[in-house]
Amino acid sequence: MLSKLFESLYLKVFISIVVFRAKSVVYVETVGKSGVIDTFEESFDTTGVDAKMYEYISTHLSESPFYYISILDKSLSQGACPSCSSKEMSQYFDVSSSKYICYAKSWSSYTSKLDIHSLEKEYSKIGLDFIFSPFVVLAKFFKDKIDTNMAMFILIEDSFITLSVFDNSELLYAQHLDMQHHEDSDELLMQENDVDDTDLEIDDIDLEDFDADELDNLGDIEDLDTVDDLDEFSDAKDIDEESEDKSDDLPIKEIDSFNEDYQRFLLIQGAISDFYKNEKYKSQFIESTYIADGVGVSGDLKRYLEEEMFLNVYVRSMDLNVEVCELAKAELQ
């Protein structure tokens, strides 16, 4: 009781960290009796804790003895499963090497102990009070829909896709998908399947290697002996050059966005296929999809899902740092 009274005399400082592909965003809220007093946000070109980030966080920590630092779990080995029973959970992941938390007495989110240890070590300079699963962030964000719908719910980060299927609060399926790993796999596959064509250079042909009869036969080729045929080749060249000119006019940012959204679509498509075919899950037909957009995807992803998979797609923008901060505040209530 006395500690609560003492605590009420001070501001509370909530700091949330979200790690992106090549940067970290730090969000700060100072909270008093009447609610949020001020907010701050800063981006740093690091995926760990560098000197600038450490100084920035330390400055805010000095404002109050009551501060709480949270991070969105960036572990590769994480996921969620439709059970809180350790016996049943073992069907979905290695329980002995993982840390897991039961959510709503219905389903669990988990992360490997090794990844958690690495994360805590990486941020040991500042300390971590909470490590939040993106599955929990997604469940909180779409709680109004998850409680009353059978649908697929997706959180989009720049490097990850967190995907789950709920039927009226019951988790049916979950996957944490790594964009970077998917890109590397695609590149490797393309390299392995690439057939080396033999390059034939005109300069390498020595006419002295042909005898007179063979040279005469070369003149008998009829496919290219008319002006019309030559015009066709000329037209084709013009079309190719015109296409290249148009593609050159596209901003690099738009091309990158198109490529990433198509990769996201392929990952989501693969996860849905797994949900339908995998006997571990109680698969049902998915009609609607709710996307929490944490990075600002283009409209292409929505279009792919609607046109290729005939889904009803609804997109909500999400500020990941704010959502992580809200979870920390909820933990202290």
Side-chain angles (χ1 to χ4, degrees):
M1 186 70 178
L2 185 61
S3 62
K4 285 289 183 182
L5 178 62
F6 182 68
E7 184 178 337
S8 67
L9 299 175
Y10 288 89
L11 295 174
K12 290 187 179 70
V13 179
F14 292 90
I15 297 175
S16 67
I17 303 169
V18 175
V19 181
F20 293 82
R21 191 170 299 169
K23 68 177 183 179
S24 295
V25 177
V26 178
Y27 173 77
V28 182
E29 276 191 14
T30 55
V31 180
K33 289 182 179 180
S34 59
V36 178
I37 296 174
D38 214 341
T39 63
F40 309 89
E41 187 172 284
E42 192 72 35
S43 179
F44 300 90
D45 296 328
T46 178
T47 56
V49 181
D50 61 9
K52 289 183 178 179
M53 182 173 163
Y54 177 76
E55 182 181 358
Y56 178 80
I57 292 175
S58 297
T59 299
H60 288 285
L61 296 184
S62 65
E63 296 179 17
S64 172
F66 296 98
Y67 56 81
Y68 309 91
I69 301 176
S70 308
I71 192 168
L72 182 64
D73 192 357
K74 61 177 183 176
S75 307
L76 297 177
S77 303
Q78 63 171 302
C81 73
S83 176
C84 286
S85 163
S86 58
K87 184 178 180 180
E88 293 179 359
M89 284 190 292
S90 62
Q91 301 176 38
Y92 301 93
F93 65 96
D94 185 356
V95 177
S96 63
S97 64
S98 303
K99 285 190 175 182
Y100 51 89
I101 297 176
C102 185
Y103 186 90
K105 299 180 180 179
S106 174
W107 58 274
S108 300
S109 62
Y110 63 87
T111 305
S112 81
K113 292 178 181 178
L114 183 61
D115 284 347
I116 290 293
H117 176 72
S118 298
L119 197 60
E120 291 174 338
K121 184 177 180 181
E122 187 175 357
Y123 290 87
S124 59
K125 286 184 178 180
I126 57 173
L128 294 174
D129 296 290
F130 303 109
I131 301 173
F132 290 113
S133 164
F135 288 97
V136 175
V137 173
L138 185 62
K140 288 282 188 180
F141 189 70
F142 280 123
K143 187 178 187 308
D144 59 325
K145 302 298 181 184
I146 287 174
D147 288 348
T148 57
N149 287 268
M150 190 281 157
M152 178 168 61
F153 299 88
I154 302 172
L155 169 59
I156 301 293
E157 300 178 63
D158 65 344
S159 295
F160 299 103
I161 297 172
T162 301
L163 181 148
S164 57
V165 179
F166 281 92
D167 181 14
N168 295 295
S169 297
E170 180 187 1
L171 179 66
L172 302 182
Y173 181 81
Q175 281 285 342
H176 186 65
L177 306 168
D178 180 7
M179 283 278 293
Q180 191 63 44
H181 177 72
H182 177 67
E183 289 172 6
D184 293 343
S185 297
D186 283 352
E187 290 176 6
L188 182 61
L189 186 61
M190 289 175 66
Q191 291 172 6
E192 290 176 349
N193 292 337
D194 187 27
V195 179
D196 293 330
D197 295 327
T198 302
D199 294 328
L200 183 63
E201 299 291 342
I202 297 297
D203 293 339
D204 294 337
I205 300 176
D206 189 353
L207 294 179
E208 293 181 359
D209 293 338
F210 294 88
D211 59 28
D213 292 337
E214 288 174 326
L215 289 173
D216 289 339
N217 289 336
L218 290 176
D220 293 336
I221 300 176
E222 297 179 354
D223 291 340
L224 301 178
D225 64 354
T226 66
V227 175
D228 290 340
D229 290 328
L230 292 175
D231 285 343
E232 286 180 12
F233 275 90
S234 177
D235 291 342
K237 182 176 183 295
D238 290 340
I239 293 171
D240 289 339
E241 289 177 350
E242 188 176 324
S243 300
E244 289 176 4
D245 291 340
K246 287 182 179 179
S247 65
D248 289 342
D249 291 338
L250 286 173
I252 293 176
K253 187 175 181 181
E254 287 188 16
I255 296 173
D256 289 343
S257 177
F258 169 81
N259 290 337
E260 290 202 339
D261 280 346
Y262 189 67
Q263 289 171 2
R264 290 182 177 110
F265 163 70
L266 292 178
L267 284 171
I268 293 168
Q269 186 182 51
I272 293 175
S273 176
D274 181 48
F275 172 59
Y276 287 149
K277 295 177 181 178
N278 198 322
E279 294 181 357
K280 287 194 300 185
Y281 305 103
K282 297 190 296 184
S283 60
Q284 297 184 37
F285 183 69
I286 300 171
E287 294 184 4
S288 299
T289 298
Y290 294 88
I291 296 176
D293 179 10
V295 294
V297 297
S298 71
D300 290 328
L301 178 60
K302 183 176 186 291
R303 178 169 57 82
Y304 295 146
L305 293 170
E306 289 177 336
E307 295 181 1
E308 300 296 328
M309 305 199 71
F310 308 105
L311 295 166
N312 300 315
V313 182
Y314 309 92
V315 181
R316 285 186 192 174
S317 295
M318 172 193 278
D319 188 323
L320 280 165
N321 283 89
V322 172
E323 295 303 320
V324 170
C325 189
E326 289 298 316
L327 287 174
K329 289 191 287 186
E331 286 290 323
L332 300 177
Q333 291 177 354

